[in-house]
Amino acid sequence: MIVDPLYAFVFLGLFTPGPNIVLLTASGARFGFTATLPHLLGVVLGVGVVSGITGFGVSAALGSLPVVVATLLKFIAVGWMLYMAYGLWNASVISTDNRARPMNFIEAVLFQWVNPKVWAVAFAAVSAHPSSASMLGEALRVASAFSAINLAVCLFWTSTGTVLRYLLVTRTAWTLFTRSMATALAVFSIMIFV
């Protein structure tokens, strides 16, 4: 039985910490597993869509963008991630802010469009592990691999966050956790320019 090497590549690319992992783990810890499910499912669909579009050859089209447009897209991505990092940095265990809630399904889907890690892993996967399928076949192959593998990855990290919820019982422990996650997210955002 021959296994497509794309699957191992995608697993390693998505399982390692990045913006989605940080946000899902933090959301699981702060709001619980059930409340985080719409966010989780939005990530799974959004990652599948972005990777599928990449399979259509968008990487070549994006590579030909003028430097100004590409730089603008990077700044938008960094700004959005730093905004989320700021929110995590200031998160409290029990929020008095009635607006505090996990990211919803649509927000999570849309976030994938500015998530540089997803684009980077998708571009690398399509480049390193192409198939002889048609353009549509390649898009479907890549999208299904990313979504299926990402579902397992997202379930793992959201569950990990939910378990942490029961361990983070002091204000100090919670503050250390959220600030560590916020710092990780800020570092990932700055790495866009590296």
Side-chain angles (χ1 to χ4, degrees), residues 122-149:
F123 289 151
V126 169
S127 302
H129 303 286
S131 73
S132 58
S134 67
M135 197 176 287
L136 176 61
E138 182 69 357
L140 292 174
R141 170 184 165 259
V142 172
S144 62
F146 269 76
S147 284
I149 291 168

Side-chain angles (χ1 to χ4, degrees), residues 58-67:
V58 170
S59 58
L62 287 176
S64 67
L65 284 176
V67 174

Side-chain angles (χ1 to χ4, degrees), residues 117-192:
K117 184 180 177 196
V118 171
W119 285 101
V121 173
F123 289 151
V126 169
S127 302
H129 303 286
S131 73
S132 58
S134 67
M135 197 176 287
L136 176 61
E138 182 69 357
L140 292 174
R141 170 184 165 259
V142 172
S144 62
F146 269 76
S147 284
I149 291 168
N150 203 35
L151 176 61
V153 167
C154 291
L155 288 169
F156 174 83
W157 285 109
T158 303
S159 298
T160 299
T162 303
V163 170
L164 285 173
R165 179 182 195 149
Y166 298 104
L167 300 174
L168 302 172
V169 293
T170 67
R171 182 166 300 282
T172 301
W174 178 258
T175 300
L176 286 172
F177 170 73
T178 56
R179 291 192 173 173
S180 296
M181 295 303 247
T183 302
L185 189 56
V187 168
F188 290 128
S189 72
I190 293 166
M191 289 173 60
I192 292 173

Side-chain angles (χ1 to χ4, degrees), residues 4-188:
D4 190 339
L6 173 72
Y7 300 123
F9 183 87
V10 170
F11 174 77
L12 291 173
L14 295 178
F15 190 79
T16 54
N20 284 328
I21 299 305
V22 170
L23 292 172
L24 285 169
T25 304
S27 183
R30 187 165 188 213
F31 302 108
F33 186 85
T34 303
T36 303
L37 272 176
H39 178 177
L40 183 153
L41 295 172
V43 169
V44 171
L45 177 65
V47 166
V49 169
V50 166
S51 62
I53 288 172
T54 304
F56 268 119
V58 170
S59 58
L62 287 176
S64 67
L65 284 176
V67 174
V68 174
V69 175
T71 303
L72 177 64
L73 291 174
K74 287 180 181 182
F75 274 107
I76 290 169
V78 169
W80 179 247
M81 287 193 292
L82 288 175
Y83 172 76
M84 289 186 297
Y86 176 79
L88 272 175
W89 184 270
N90 294 305
S92 61
V93 179
I94 300 170
S95 179
T96 56
D97 182 357
N98 291 335
R99 297 172 297 169
R101 60 168 177 75
M103 191 179 290
N104 68 37
F105 179 81
I106 299 298
E107 290 167 336
V109 170
L110 294 176
F111 174 66
Q112 304 321 304
W113 290 91
V114 295
N115 184 342
K117 184 180 177 196
V118 171
W119 285 101
V121 173
F123 289 151
V126 169
S127 302
H129 303 286
S131 73
S132 58
S134 67
M135 197 176 287
L136 176 61
E138 182 69 357
L140 292 174
R141 170 184 165 259
V142 172
S144 62
F146 269 76
S147 284
I149 291 168
N150 203 35
L151 176 61
V153 167
C154 291
L155 288 169
F156 174 83
W157 285 109
T158 303
S159 298
T160 299
T162 303
V163 170
L164 285 173
R165 179 182 195 149
Y166 298 104
L167 300 174
L168 302 172
V169 293
T170 67
R171 182 166 300 282
T172 301
W174 178 258
T175 300
L176 286 172
F177 170 73
T178 56
R179 291 192 173 173
S180 296
M181 295 303 247
T183 302
L185 189 56
V187 168
F188 290 128

